[in-house]
Amino acid sequence: MRTAGTLLLVAVAVLAQATIVNRLPFEWGPDLVLAAVVAVALTTNPAAAAGCGFAAGLAMDVLPPAEHPMGRYALVLCVAAYLVSLLRANTGLGGAVGNAVSNWTALGITAVTAVGVGLSYALVGFLMGDANITLAVVSVRVGVGALLTALFATVVTLPILWVRTSLAESDFATIQGPTSIRGW
């Protein structure tokens, strides 16, 4: 059940980003997809987080108005999700195993990840020869974008964290069968 709920919420974030945020007349804006992927990365293993980041990033690369080479955002989001999940798993962020990450920690991680993703996206663009990459443009877009992503994380990251921590992985996860033949 948790997987289905997560898939639905990440798909809604991708569609909201592509249909609403990316069509605003500003050069910068919040990254709802990043906020959704960070929530998934904070509650799952690194491989699943990387898969979610890659799928969400590829969807953003394909959906209009895509003005960059396909796969660029998928690469950056895949690596970012993997690193966030790996750091959470190896540092014990959130306390003991099974404990949820606090809301403030999730918002802080989203803000830091937004800065890292913005800089990584610009670096990949620079390495690919993107002529639009300048220090002034990158600093403004990354700074303002990270701030807006952190603000919008309250309506994207926190609900996904709540869904992932409150729902069981399967509807049948809490059902126990008979422990012996006589139990039937």
Side-chain angles (χ1 to χ4, degrees), residues 4-153:
T6 302
L7 179 63
L8 177 69
L9 290 173
V10 171
V12 167
V14 167
L15 290 175
Q17 182 75 34
T19 59
I20 299 169
V21 176
N22 287 353
R23 298 193 187 275
L24 293 175
F26 307 113
E27 292 292 322
W28 36 262
D31 194 345
L32 305 179
V33 177
L34 170 74
V37 168
V38 167
V40 173
L42 288 173
T43 57
T44 190
N45 62 29
C52 178
F54 179 78
L58 190 61
M60 289 306 301
D61 284 337
V62 172
L63 290 172
E67 299 169 345
H68 55 271
M70 187 169 17
R72 183 170 157 189
Y73 193 61
L75 170 70
V76 172
L77 245 141
C78 176
V79 171
Y82 179 79
L83 290 176
V84 167
S85 183
L86 187 68
L87 286 172
R88 183 188 189 284
N90 289 333
T91 60
L93 183 68
V97 175
N99 285 351
V101 177
S102 74
N103 291 344
W104 290 109
T105 303
L107 296 176
I109 290 172
T110 303
V112 170
T113 306
V115 170
V117 165
L119 293 174
S120 299
Y121 186 80
L123 177 66
V124 171
F126 178 74
L127 293 174
M128 294 176 70
D130 189 352
N132 297 327
I133 303 294
T134 64
L135 185 60
V137 169
V138 169
S139 61
V140 169
R141 285 188 183 176
V142 169
V144 173
L147 179 66
L148 289 173
T149 301
L151 291 174
F152 277 85

